[in-house]
Amino acid sequence: MLDAAAGTGQLDELLDLERELAVLLRRARATSGEMAREVHPELEPAAYGLLVRLAEAGSQRATDLAQYFGVGKATISRQLRALDGLGLVVRTPDPADGRASLVRLTSEGRERFTRVRDARRARYARKMASWDRAEVAELARLLHRLNTPVESGPPPGE
């Protein structure tokens, strides 16, 4: 909740931020759907994020993926079954715990994902070509800060 002493200026800035984030998220969902179809015509847009995570972090347990995305294990399991059925991921036994399995991209999954990711990065580069490198770095830093969970507990000063 906003502090009453913060004033209308901060409220206006937060409303501007909310509006811009809403536009960004709508566009990101649409783009995610397009990229998912480019990877495979039958790929769900929500499952594209799993490919991103597996490409970045390597083999993962389904429970770790569910925790990372903040969704239930059933949701992750359904999406992983779909990815497996499309030949984009494979499950292997977890050497640290034989009862669990690790999910990783297949060679085909990595190739398809990399092709689409590289095209997306090229679009970002064109869109931000006139930006100063420091501006790009600052945007990345601020988005990271926004995406970092806040530690639980009372707000500072309470």
Side-chain angles (χ1 to χ4, degrees):
M1 194 76 194
L2 280 177
D3 184 338
T8 11
Q10 185 176 8
L11 179 58
D12 290 344
E13 292 164 354
L14 288 173
L15 292 174
D16 289 347
L17 174 62
E18 181 181 43
R19 182 182 55 253
E20 294 303 324
L21 283 174
V23 170
L24 178 68
L25 292 173
R26 278 193 298 270
R27 288 180 178 167
R29 275 192 294 275
T31 300
S32 195
E34 292 168 10
M35 290 186 301
R37 285 185 297 280
E38 288 177 33
V39 169
H40 192 286
E42 297 173 35
L43 182 63
E44 291 181 28
Y48 180 81
L50 289 171
L51 298 179
V52 173
R53 180 66 181 162
L54 291 169
E56 290 175 349
S59 298
Q60 301 275 293
R61 287 183 179 189
T63 53
D64 294 333
L65 290 166
Q67 182 179 8
Y68 178 80
F69 287 107
V71 299
K73 191 170 184 301
T75 299
I76 289 294
S77 293
R78 181 181 56 75
Q79 292 175 347
L80 289 174
R81 273 193 306 279
L83 290 170
D84 187 32
L86 297 174
L88 302 174
V89 301
V90 65
R91 295 175 194 254
T92 56
D94 184 346
D97 180 354
R99 300 167 296 171
S101 63
L102 295 173
V103 182
R104 66 173 172 78
L105 292 174
T106 61
S107 296
E108 180 181 357
R110 182 169 301 284
E111 184 277 322
R112 287 174 175 250
F113 170 76
T114 300
R115 179 178 35 81
V116 171
R117 182 199 58 204
D118 290 350
R120 181 191 70 220
R121 286 179 176 171
R123 285 192 298 269
Y124 280 142
R126 284 190 302 275
K127 184 170 182 100
M128 300 177 103
S130 65
W131 289 38
D132 184 275
R133 287 180 62 189
E135 291 174 315
V136 175
E138 181 67 359
L139 177 60
R141 185 188 70 75
L142 292 171
L143 287 172
H144 176 74
R145 184 173 170 191
L146 181 65
N147 286 325
T148 301
V150 176
E151 296 297 322
S152 59
E158 286 188 21

